[in-house]
């Protein structure tokens, strides 16, 4: 079945819909649907971000808990944990393993927010459908819809918004765990310059995944407004 654009679908509706008056109850129902849908989308996105951040923090805290447990059980001497070369290799392996495991909630965080943004764009499709036929009635009521009608808006991530900062910080911490764990397992000297280079390269890999999946290169400051409604956002 051929897919129709929102504008084509709106034009395909019966012409006599244009003459139907908008009653106050119907007008309020449209606004209520928009508000409820938008609220649920952003609430779900916030809940998902919190869950994935907690999961990441739990995974990243596991090596410290394991080191304390081993020291308490006298499997590892506490003095061995004070210098780089005396730390057992299996503790470095644990740090690297949990750093890799933390990549999973990192990816899930990106994909979950992508899904929620696609839902928000679907709401914009709905808005476009009724905005086409009710724009004259809106003008008669002295009200202009302060809502985006571009199906491509909003973008999934803005780099300096809270989701973007959350992703970038997780990428930096994951990279640090992986770099420290791998360098410790192979017995490399803990040179600061080497650590920074490896962490930077791994963080760039994380950022590349974030950049591609979030499509931040296509971010726009304002949504496309085919009906030229004035922007009255505060």
């Amino acid at each position: 079945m051929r897919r129709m654009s929102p504008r084509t679908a709106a034009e395909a509706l019966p012409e006599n819909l244009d003459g139907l008056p908008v009653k106050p109850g119907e007008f309020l129902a449209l606004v209520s649907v928009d508000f409820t849908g938008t609220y649920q989308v952003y609430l779900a996105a916030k809940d998902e971000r919190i869950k994935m951040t907690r999961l990441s923090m739990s995974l990243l805290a596991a090596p410290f808990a394991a080191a304390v447990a081993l020291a308490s059980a006298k499997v590892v001497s506490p003095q061995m944990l004070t210098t780089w070369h005396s730390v057992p290799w299996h503790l470095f392996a644990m740090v690297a393993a949990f750093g890799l495991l933390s990549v999973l909630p990192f990816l899930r965080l990106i994909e979950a927010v992508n899904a929620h943004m696609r839902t928000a764009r679907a709401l914009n499709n709905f808005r476009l459908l009724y905005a086409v036929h009710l724009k004259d009635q809106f003008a008669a009521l002295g009200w202009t819809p302060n809502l985006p009608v571009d199906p491509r808006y909003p973008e999934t991530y803005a780099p300096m918004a809270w989701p973007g900062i959350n992703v970038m910080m997780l990428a930096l911490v994951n990279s640090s765990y992986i770099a420290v764990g791998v360098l410790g397992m192979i017995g490399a000297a803990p040179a600061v310059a080497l650590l920074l280079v490896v962490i930077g390269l791994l963080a760039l890999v994380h950022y590349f995944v974030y950049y591609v999946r979030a499509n931040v290169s296509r971010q726009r400051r304002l949504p496309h407004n085919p009906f030229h409604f004035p922007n009255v956002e505060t």
Side-chain angles (χ1 to χ4, degrees):
M1 180 177 179
R2 185 172 64 88
R3 297 181 61 184
M4 300 176 64
S5 66
R7 186 184 299 276
T8 304
E11 293 174 351
L13 293 174
E15 294 182 357
N16 59 4
L17 287 179
D18 292 331
L20 291 178
V22 180
K23 299 178 181 179
E26 297 171 348
F27 175 77
L28 180 60
L30 292 174
V31 177
S32 176
V33 168
D34 272 329
F35 175 80
T36 303
T38 304
Y39 178 77
Q40 292 297 330
V41 167
Y42 287 112
L43 185 64
K46 180 180 179 180
D47 182 65
E48 191 71 27
R49 287 197 299 269
I50 292 175
K51 286 181 179 179
M52 291 301 104
T53 303
R54 287 176 177 173
L55 178 58
S56 294
M57 294 299 101
S58 298
L59 291 174
L60 295 174
F64 295 97
V68 172
L70 292 175
S72 300
K74 298 183 180 180
V75 176
V76 175
S77 174
Q79 286 75 19
M80 297 176 63
L81 304 177
T82 58
T83 59
W84 176 278
H85 295 289
S86 62
V87 175
W89 71 271
H90 54 269
L91 287 181
F92 281 119
M94 190 179 302
V95 171
F98 279 98
L100 290 171
L101 283 176
S102 188
V103 175
L104 297 178
F106 171 84
L107 297 176
R108 174 59 186 159
L109 182 65
I110 296 175
E111 294 300 326
V113 178
N114 282 347
H116 294 131
M117 291 301 101
R118 284 193 293 269
T119 304
R121 295 185 187 119
L123 284 174
N124 293 340
N125 278 325
F126 168 74
R127 292 164 174 169
L128 180 59
L129 284 174
Y130 73 71
V132 169
H133 289 279
L134 300 182
K135 57 181 179 180
D136 294 334
Q137 284 81 3
F138 289 158
L141 291 170
W143 178 82
T144 55
N146 180 28
L147 33 92
V149 292
D150 184 0
R152 299 167 296 176
Y153 183 86
E155 295 290 348
T156 49
Y157 273 127
M160 297 309 297
W162 163 240
I165 294 175
N166 192 9
V167 168
M168 296 304 297
M169 291 301 102
L170 284 179
L172 185 61
V173 175
N174 291 349
S175 301
S176 301
Y177 271 59
I178 297 171
V180 169
V182 172
L183 291 177
M185 283 191 299
I186 65 177
V192 176
L194 179 61
L195 276 173
L196 291 178
V197 169
V198 176
I199 292 173
L201 292 175
L202 291 172
L204 283 177
V205 173
H206 282 74
Y207 180 76
F208 179 75
V209 175
Y210 154 77
Y211 183 83
V212 171
R213 292 300 302 159
N215 291 321
V216 292
S217 61
R218 297 190 298 108
Q219 181 184 4
R220 295 179 300 279
R221 292 185 179 274
L222 290 174
H224 177 58
N225 188 352
F227 300 106
H228 305 288
F229 293 139
N231 181 25
V232 292
E233 293 181 357
T234 56

